[in-house]
Every structure is written in structure tokens, then in C-alpha cells.
Amino acid sequence: MKANDITSTNKKFSIGEFLEVKSAYNPSFSPDASKIAYISNETGIAQIYLMPRQGGESIQLTNSEDPISFAVFSPTEDIIIFGKSSGGNEQSQLYLVNAVNKEVTSLTDNEKTRYDFSSWSHDGKFIAISSTERNG
């Protein structure tokens, strides 16, 4: 298709149609690069999905009442670190989800503190984080 083949329809969109637009973002490859985790608002709330790198059907890994803010695969295992806040409190907590069995494990649990993920260590044994928690 050439640029001059595109014509304007001057269609007006309602705010409802605009709000129904789905998105997918924040892709992260599995350690063997066979799968891609990403966040999508397909259900109306941002959740983590997993799809084969070659394409195909996605599976939903999380089913939270609160939106997922990020998701990053471990460099060595089929686990994904992710963050979410509860009830809109903007105090992100950190979790792991197993990309095989969907089991979620909480890493932090202090609703007065915001935790932000920075990176995995190369061997997948450690994570770097920052938080708003005071040191004493």
C-alpha cells in the first residue's frame, strides 16, 4: 500500500469506542527465547500474558483485580517478576509468577512502601530493587 492510497473517512469516534481500544506492551523474552511475556488490557485490567515467540494463542498468567505495572522474565528460569498496587494505593508490591503453572508468590508485603524493580542478576539469583522504605 502506498501513502497516497490511504484516504480519510472523517469518521467520528465516541469516547466509549476510544476506551475500548486494547493494547499490549512491555514484552519480555523467556530465557530460551521461546516465549514472550507481555502486559495487555484485553480483560479491561492490565494482566500478564504469555505467547510463543513464533506466534499463536496467548495464555493469561495473572488474574488480578488490580492492574499489573511491569513484568520481566528471569534470565535463567521460567519465572516472571511483576509489580502491582492494591486498590489504587500506588504502593507497588513485587511478586513472582511461574510461567508454567501460574503460581504467584509475594516478594514484598508492606502497603506503606512502594517497591520498584531494577534488574535481575545475570545468574537469576538476585534482584535489584528500590523502595520508599526508611532505613531506621
Side-chain angles (χ1 to χ4, degrees):
M1 179 184 289
K2 297 178 184 174
N4 59 356
D5 291 339
I6 300 172
T7 59
S8 173
T9 61
N10 292 324
K11 178 170 173 26
K12 305 277 187 211
F13 294 93
S14 71
I15 190 69
E17 289 173 310
F18 176 75
L19 293 174
E20 289 180 15
V21 172
K22 305 300 181 209
S23 63
Y25 52 94
N26 197 32
S28 179
F29 282 92
S30 63
D32 66 0
S34 67
K35 299 175 280 294
I36 302 170
Y38 64 95
I39 297 175
S40 175
N41 66 346
E42 188 174 321
T43 63
I45 298 172
Q47 299 295 317
I48 302 172
Y49 290 81
L50 188 66
M51 72 177 294
R53 182 190 66 184
Q54 300 299 330
E57 191 170 330
S58 294
I59 60 168
Q60 186 175 342
L61 291 182
T62 57
N63 188 20
S64 173
E65 294 178 4
D66 299 300
I68 306 299
S69 56
F70 71 88
V72 180
F73 255 110
S74 160
T76 59
E77 298 179 67
D78 276 348
I79 57 173
I80 299 165
I81 190 168
F82 69 95
K84 71 177 184 77
S85 302
S86 294
N89 69 2
E90 298 185 6
Q91 302 299 330
S92 292
Q93 302 298 303
L94 302 178
Y95 302 84
L96 293 176
V97 62
N98 183 306
V100 176
N101 64 19
K102 301 182 184 181
E103 183 179 326
V104 174
T105 304
S106 176
L107 297 178
T108 60
D109 188 21
N110 182 347
E111 298 222 355
K112 294 182 179 180
T113 300
R114 176 187 173 99
Y115 296 91
D116 292 308
F117 171 75
S118 295
S119 66
W120 286 96
S121 63
H122 292 290
D123 62 6
K125 293 181 180 180
F126 302 98
I127 58 171
I129 66 169
S130 61
S131 78
T132 59
E133 189 170 25
R134 296 204 175 256
N135 292 338

